[in-house]
Structures are given as C-alpha cells and as structure tokens.
Amino acid sequence: MNMRILFKFAALLLLILTGCSGVMDSAQPARQYFMLMPLSESSTPDISDQKPSLTMVLGAVPGLDTDWVQALDGDAQLVRYANARWPDHLPEVLTSVIQRSLQASGRYAEVRAASRAAGDAWFLQLEVQQFYGLQDTNRETTRVAVRISGAVTCDDQHSAFTVEDTVPVNSQRLSAVITAHQQGLDKITQQIFSEIKKVCQ
C-alpha cells in the first residue's frame, strides 16, 4: 500500500515539474535586431577639389528615443513590435546611417557627428518626428511614416526644412515592415540631400 502511494506521489510530482518546465525555461522567441543601411547609390558627386566639411547632429521627439521598433495604432498609442529592436536607440542608429550616406555622396571632405560645427564646416541639425508603422483599428500595419525636421547652416546661409514620406507595407510580416522603414529612410535621405543643395551651393 505504501509503495502504491509513493508511486502515485512520484508520478504527480513528475507531472507538476513537466507542466512548469515551459514557464521555467521561457520558450519566448529571442530578440531580433534589425539593421538600417545607408544609401547604396549616391547622387551625382561633387568632383571639385574644394569640398566642404559637414557636421551633423540628430535628435528625436519623446517616444522615439528607444531601440524598440514601434507603430502608432488607431488610438494614437505607440506600440512595440514583439521582440523587434534596432541595434541601438533610434537617434544613434539614424545618425550613423545618415552620416554614412552623406559621406558616400562624395560631396563632402568629411562628415562628422557632433553637437556643434568647428571652423567653417557646414552644420546640419535634424530631429526625427516620425519613424514608425501606422496601424489600423485591426492592429494591422498599413504604412510606415518617416518625418524629419531640420536646419542647415553654411557660410552666411541658414534654412529650416521638413522632409517626410509614407511607404505602403505589402504584408503583415515583420520583414515587410522593416523593408518599408528602409525605403522611407532612403527617400528622406535623398530629400535631405536636396534641401542642403538648395541653400549651400
């Protein structure tokens, strides 16, 4: 009799441990980190010998200074895509990507990231105001919105500008959302090139 009770107790204990193993071992998916890339093709480069240096600084509005990939839902709430992250906080990521795009354009002797320009370097100030998916009432991402305000100072010239674009998302896969972010960033970067060129010849 005692052996039968002992056997039942051991079986019950094994069942409890097996049922809890999923909680204890945490079967949640690992974080996924997504890279954004600089423009692969630059516009017509400046082939002159006297190329200016450019200093840039980039910030973000509250809510976007994070490493989460985010969306704005139908109730104007910022929501996170599960386990999807940028490699660093968004301002640092976009600073690196836009800086490399500007350098690859061939128009500048040097492009550096700093809070102020040194010497006669041109100065580009940027603020990210939108960089997220747009979701409908069903929590499906329909588009990605990118908006950056900025100002450029060169020599005696100064001009403020805003560039923005939206990119459709063709499926509800996370990879499609990231692709739309990349396409939006590419378009915005090209617009930034144009805004600098308007003021600084």
Side-chain angles (χ1 to χ4, degrees):
M1 187 68 171
N2 290 340
M3 289 296 294
R4 184 176 299 174
I5 293 173
L6 183 61
F7 177 80
K8 287 182 178 180
F9 177 78
L12 179 61
L13 182 61
L14 180 62
L15 182 63
I16 292 171
L17 290 175
T18 303
C20 292
S21 63
V23 177
M24 300 293 288
D25 295 341
S26 181
Q28 292 188 0
R31 292 177 182 174
Q32 301 177 72
Y33 292 92
F34 293 93
M35 292 288 290
L36 293 168
M37 304 302 293
L39 284 174
S40 57
E41 294 183 5
S42 64
S43 54
T44 304
D46 180 0
I47 59 174
S48 66
D49 294 331
Q50 299 297 322
K51 295 180 183 179
S53 294
L54 178 69
T55 300
M56 65 168 287
V57 61
L58 184 147
V61 297
L64 296 187
D65 188 10
T66 176
D67 63 346
W68 287 97
V69 182
Q70 299 186 101
L72 190 70
D73 69 11
D75 296 321
Q77 297 184 75
L78 280 173
V79 295
R80 300 168 175 175
Y81 292 98
N83 304 305
R85 304 285 188 101
W86 305 120
D88 201 339
H89 283 203
L90 186 62
E92 284 72 30
V93 171
L94 294 185
T95 295
S96 173
V97 176
I98 294 175
Q99 178 185 5
R100 285 179 285 154
S101 293
L102 289 164
Q103 188 69 68
S105 73
R107 297 176 178 177
Y108 308 102
E110 177 189 26
V111 180
R112 58 190 293 266
S115 59
R116 63 180 61 186
D120 57 357
W122 296 358
F123 189 42
L124 177 65
Q125 298 169 276
L126 301 173
E127 181 185 63
V128 183
Q129 298 178 339
Q130 296 178 347
F131 199 79
Y132 42 65
L134 296 175
Q135 293 185 338
D136 59 21
T137 54
N138 296 320
R139 287 289 180 95
E140 292 190 349
T141 303
T142 58
R143 295 167 294 152
V144 164
V146 182
R147 177 187 172 100
I148 294 179
S149 67
V152 60
T153 302
C154 54
D155 303 324
D156 298 331
Q157 305 297 315
H158 178 83
S159 179
F161 60 85
T162 298
V163 293
E164 58 187 326
D165 210 322
T166 58
V167 180
V169 174
N170 57 25
S171 77
Q172 293 308 301
R173 292 177 297 118
L174 186 55
S175 60
V177 174
I178 299 301
T179 296
H181 277 84
Q182 179 69 66
Q183 291 172 347
L185 178 58
D186 289 348
K187 292 179 179 180
I188 287 297
T189 303
Q190 290 170 338
Q191 291 182 45
I192 291 171
F193 285 178
S194 297
E195 292 295 333
I196 296 173
K197 191 175 181 180
K198 285 180 186 177
V199 182
C200 310
Q201 296 297 330

